[in-house]
Amino acid sequence: MTLDAVARRAGVSLATASRALNGTTRVREDLRSRVRAAADQLGYIPNAHAQALASASNNTVGLICHDVGDPYFAAIAAGVMRAAAEKDLLVMLASTFREPAREIAYVSTLRAQRARAILLIGSGFQDRTWERALAAELEPYVRAGGRVAVVSRHRSLRVDAVLPENRGGASALARALLDLGHREFAVLTGPPSLTTVSDRLAGFRDELARAGVTLAPERIVRGPFTREGGYTAARALLARGERPTCVFAVTDVMAVGALAAFRERGVRVPEDISLAGFDDIPLVRELSPPLTTVALPLTAMGQEVMALALREPRGPRSRVLRMGGEVVLRASVAPPPPRPARADGGAH
Amino acid sequence: MTLDAVARRAGVSLATASRALNGTTRVREDLRSRVRAAADQLGYIPNAHAQALASASNNTVGLICHDVGDPYFAAIAAGVMRAAAEKDLLVMLASTFREPAREIAYVSTLRAQRARAILLIGSGFQDRTWERALAAELEPYVRAGGRVAVVSRHRSLRVDAVLPENRGGASALARALLDLGHREFAVLTGPPSLTTVSDRLAGFRDELARAGVTLAPERIVRGPFTREGGYTAARALLARGERPTCVFAVTDVMAVGALAAFRERGVRVPEDISLAGFDDIPLVRELSPPLTTVALPLTAMGQEVMALALREPRGPRSRVLRMGGEVVLRASVAPPPPRPARADGGAH
DNA sequence: GCGCTTTCTGAAAGCGTTTTCTCGCAGAGG
DNA sequence: CCTCTGCGAGAAAACGCTTTCAGAAAGCGC
């Protein structure tokens, strides 16, 4: 099953067998077909490791995300896979399960694999130390010719990036909600140091401010970027006695959790509270009610980040591709209810 | 950045450097720490290809599924990733996008990578020829020590498998629907040659038959295993003038499509038609209305299939692990409406 | 103090390819 | 007829590691 065996069976030298199969140089046609036949008969499968070692190159790329089970990452990953299939690349997938240490370990592993490119999907971690350690791991990789590209990553990494239109999208969403007549807002948000969070929050808040509406701090509830995070955040909001007319969850996944919490508490959406998310993950339009959100072309973003990683860099500047950000109005938002009786929190 | 450089810098031989870093043999402590220090200073990262080549082993496994973007596969993949992280394995992910040729090509690629194990997720393809070609590709791999394990695969492959309780689950679902009083059923189904499809269909139909209820052929509509497939199948059903009181979609993803079609046509679920799915993918409980389905522990299945692949085979028999199959009743089903006026198809 | 184990280290032989480098040979040009 | 090109094939040198095989050093009993 080695090339040597194939060569011997075909009655040619090792070198010729290699050339015949790879087509790197001209080989006499009869020899080539003899080699091909021998390889077929022996069921020869080249050893990718030997090839990689000898040729100092390979066809693998690494993809690091928080959790493939999350529809957001799954959709982006699907786009990456599509692009990889087209370019005949093999994707090594790594899920960090949101543990910073694991992320850095994976980068190291992918370096050891001599992956052509490393794709980082999703916001970085809060901890500045980790971000620095990550950069330290990435820098020699890039210097050695490796490519790095990210989707919505911390800005401290100077690499090519696909950036969701977080700020603009959130602003547009706020605009749309204001236009419906809302003035009382609450936000369900994630870890504050993530750019994804701060951008969306800033965009939303700025647009409100422009309309003279302020967002009270007690109406900003934090939680992890998960369904549970949205659920508990929404419950916390209600428990505080807050009754905004409109809630913005910074991700659709959190919005799903919030929806469940509202339903559980008998709060009707959108009659009592309007709810909006961000990302437009699949299935979100099938919810009850269909969720208003800011659309991100997730699969296309996956394809683009791969393309970005593969494209020859033309200068020292990192390229940035902004995508998405369009508001998709669905039934989960409606004009605010007419002057609800103020639900007072305490008995002052 | 080669081990040779590290060894030189530490003032030891190549062999000692290797042993010091891998800990395969005892190495004097001062030498070991000198090697470690040298490796650190040089930012040494071992070349996984060279290691794999020299040691004839590596830590990668291959995962082949139809589409990571599909929540069903995403959830299973998440389980596989979890198991892989625990065992320190790197996962090479391949999406076939439902093209048989691509699947076989990926197996070949993974063979070339000398992956420790190959995991095949999802039903096989209709075409008997492809299934045979796949087996032919897998057989020498297994003989060479490779491990193969599958989730819900065609039985013609004699490999370890995690099998969803398709038949039993569908039967139980039918039982539950009959108990609610339904007698007029329709089924939205996938490609008939897939065991997933035939098992679910058989389990459902058998249970109906046991209750003396027959499933008319014109009430079985086929389509691909996608949201669109469910959507068009449901539309086709309605267009034929069929008005069953209960529809069973063989996958949740198809059920989601059906739900959209029903909504579009003004058919209320569950008031006019009850709807049930299969798989219990995430988010399906958040639908409008929440979907009744048969639960499969998808993430656990992913972990188990990895475990199965890694476990030392104890005999020639392939192991089979049946999982899931419990009915989850949610609001998408209800007792049938009281004797609806028969919507007649033609004017006989 | 001598031989016998027992550790530990180093030299060197692979692992399975790709890729020079060399050389034979045929055809072209003088 | 002889030399010069150029094409195609083979020998052999990497590629960066692990691991076997010896050998040196050290520990031990007698």
Side-chain angles (χ1 to χ4, degrees):
Chain A
M1 307 116 234
T2 71
L3 186 55
D4 193 53
V6 174
R8 220 173 352 243
R9 181 174 243 263
V12 300
S13 76
L14 186 59
T16 302
S18 171
R19 287 189 278 245
L21 293 178
N22 297 323
T24 47
T25 319
R26 286 225 55 75
V27 173
R28 229 169 59 216
E29 205 39 58
D30 57 326
L31 291 193
R32 182 186 300 274
S33 55
R34 252 162 55 200
V35 172
R36 287 239 182 82
D40 271 8
Q41 290 164 19
L42 264 45
Y44 169 70
I45 300 253
N47 184 320
H49 297 299
Q51 292 187 188
L53 188 58
S55 67
S57 76
N58 67 55
N59 292 317
T60 62
V61 302
L63 174 62
I64 301 181
C65 66
H66 292 328
D67 179 10
V68 247
D70 183 313
Y72 176 81
F73 295 109
I76 295 178
V80 171
M81 296 309 300
R82 170 64 74 185
E86 276 162 17
K87 302 273 185 186
D88 260 314
L89 294 168
L90 194 54
V91 175
M92 297 186 280
L93 179 65
S95 281
T96 65
F97 297 103
R98 300 189 164 75
E99 293 173 26
R102 193 164 267 155
E103 176 169 57
I104 291 175
Y106 273 130
V107 171
S108 188
T109 302
L110 292 172
R111 286 227 278 154
Q113 297 287 338
R114 302 297 188 263
R116 267 209 197 173
I118 295 180
L119 273 28
L120 259 32
I121 315 296
S123 287
F125 297 102
Q126 303 84 312
D127 196 325
R128 192 94 189 136
T129 314
W130 285 115
E131 196 73 27
R132 210 172 313 232
L134 181 65
E137 192 74 39
L138 250 22
E139 194 268 335
Y141 173 69
V142 171
R143 220 163 2 129
R147 305 295 185 74
V148 177
V150 306
V151 172
S152 72
R153 190 73 198 189
H154 200 285
R155 297 235 169 75
S156 67
L157 292 177
R158 309 288 299 148
V159 294
D160 295 342
V162 170
L163 291 187
E165 193 53 83
N166 286 323
R167 190 160 194 140
S171 284
L173 179 63
R175 181 79 261 142
L177 297 170
L178 285 164
D179 286 351
L180 278 174
H182 289 281
R183 292 295 178 275
E184 302 284 323
F185 292 94
V187 176
L188 272 27
T189 182
S193 60
L194 304 186
T195 49
T196 301
V197 170
S198 60
D199 287 354
R200 291 179 185 182
L201 202 51
F204 195 77
R205 184 188 259 146
D206 289 359
E207 192 65 31
L208 295 192
R210 207 161 301 143
V213 176
T214 59
L215 193 55
E218 62 272 23
R219 288 202 169 164
I220 300 180
V221 190
R222 295 191 206 298
F225 267 175
T226 60
R227 180 189 178 285
E228 292 317 306
Y231 176 82
T232 52
R235 283 185 64 118
L237 185 74
L238 296 179
R240 285 182 202 169
E242 297 290 341
R243 285 295 181 281
T245 64
C246 182
V247 170
F248 168 43
V250 296
T251 71
D252 282 352
V253 172
M254 290 188 82
V256 168
L259 195 58
F262 289 155
R263 184 156 35 215
E264 211 175 281
R265 287 298 186 199
V267 176
R268 295 166 306 164
V269 176
E271 292 82 358
D272 301 326
I273 290 188
S274 286
L275 178 66
F278 204 115
D279 289 340
D280 200 24
I281 58 177
L283 290 197
V284 112
R285 85 177 59 183
E286 325 279 354
L287 290 181
S288 136
L291 190 67
T292 286
T293 189
V294 179
L296 254 33
L298 297 171
T299 302
M301 284 163 60
Q303 297 187 245
E304 286 301 337
V305 72
M306 178 89 256
L308 218 46
L310 261 32
R311 187 147 47 230
E312 208 59 46
R314 287 182 313 180
R317 290 179 51 93
S318 58
R319 293 162 293 196
V320 169
L321 189 61
R322 296 193 173 274
M323 297 183 77
E326 262 152 57
V327 175
V328 184
L329 284 172
R330 300 207 185 94
S332 72
V333 304
R339 285 257 155 214
R342 177 98 172 81
D344 215 29
H348 300 255
Chain B
M1 309 113 234
T2 70
L3 186 55
D4 193 53
V6 174
R8 226 182 337 256
R9 180 176 244 261
V12 298
S13 75
L14 185 59
T16 303
S18 170
R19 288 188 279 244
L21 293 178
N22 297 321
T24 48
T25 319
R26 285 224 58 73
V27 173
R28 227 168 60 216
E29 205 39 60
D30 59 325
L31 291 193
R32 181 186 302 274
S33 56
R34 251 160 59 199
V35 172
R36 287 240 182 81
D40 272 8
Q41 288 164 20
L42 264 45
Y44 169 71
I45 299 254
N47 183 320
H49 297 300
Q51 294 189 155
L53 189 57
S55 67
S57 75
N58 68 56
N59 293 317
T60 61
V61 301
L63 174 62
I64 302 181
C65 66
H66 292 329
D67 179 10
V68 246
D70 182 315
Y72 176 80
F73 295 109
I76 294 178
V80 171
M81 297 310 298
R82 171 63 74 183
E86 276 162 16
K87 303 270 185 189
D88 259 314
L89 294 168
L90 195 54
V91 175
M92 297 187 280
L93 180 64
S95 282
T96 65
F97 297 103
R98 301 190 164 73
E99 293 173 26
R102 192 163 268 158
E103 176 169 54
I104 290 175
Y106 273 131
V107 171
S108 190
T109 302
L110 292 173
R111 286 227 278 154
Q113 297 285 340
R114 301 298 187 261
R116 268 209 196 171
I118 296 181
L119 272 29
L120 260 30
I121 314 295
S123 288
F125 297 101
Q126 303 83 310
D127 197 326
R128 192 94 189 138
T129 313
W130 284 116
E131 196 73 28
R132 211 172 313 232
L134 181 65
E137 193 73 40
L138 249 22
E139 194 267 336
Y141 173 69
V142 171
R143 223 168 354 134
R147 305 296 182 76
V148 177
V150 306
V151 173
S152 72
R153 190 71 199 190
H154 200 288
R155 298 234 170 75
S156 67
L157 291 177
R158 308 290 299 149
V159 294
D160 295 342
V162 170
L163 291 187
E165 193 53 81
N166 287 324
R167 189 158 195 144
S171 284
L173 178 64
R175 183 77 260 146
L177 297 171
L178 285 165
D179 286 352
L180 279 173
H182 288 280
R183 292 294 178 274
E184 301 283 323
F185 293 94
V187 176
L188 273 26
T189 183
S193 61
L194 304 186
T195 49
T196 301
V197 170
S198 59
D199 288 353
R200 292 179 184 180
L201 201 52
F204 195 78
R205 186 188 258 148
D206 288 358
E207 192 65 29
L208 295 192
R210 209 160 299 143
V213 176
T214 58
L215 193 54
E218 62 270 23
R219 288 203 170 162
I220 301 180
V221 190
R222 297 191 204 296
F225 267 175
T226 61
R227 181 190 178 284
E228 293 317 306
Y231 177 82
T232 51
R235 284 184 63 119
L237 186 74
L238 296 178
R240 286 185 202 167
E242 297 290 342
R243 285 295 181 280
T245 63
C246 183
V247 170
F248 168 42
V250 297
T251 71
D252 281 352
V253 172
M254 290 187 83
V256 167
L259 196 58
F262 289 155
R263 184 157 34 217
E264 211 175 281
R265 287 300 186 196
V267 176
R268 295 166 305 163
V269 174
E271 293 82 357
D272 300 327
I273 289 188
S274 287
L275 178 65
F278 204 118
D279 288 340
D280 200 24
I281 59 175
L283 291 197
V284 110
R285 85 179 57 184
E286 326 278 354
L287 290 182
S288 135
L291 190 67
T292 287
T293 189
V294 178
L296 254 32
L298 298 172
T299 302
M301 284 163 60
Q303 298 188 246
E304 288 300 337
V305 72
M306 179 87 258
L308 219 46
L310 261 32
R311 189 147 46 229
E312 206 60 44
R314 287 182 312 177
R317 290 178 52 92
S318 58
R319 291 162 294 196
V320 169
L321 190 60
R322 296 193 173 275
M323 297 182 77
E326 262 152 56
V327 175
V328 184
L329 284 172
R330 300 206 186 96
S332 73
V333 303
R339 289 250 151 220
R342 177 100 172 80
D344 215 31
H348 301 255

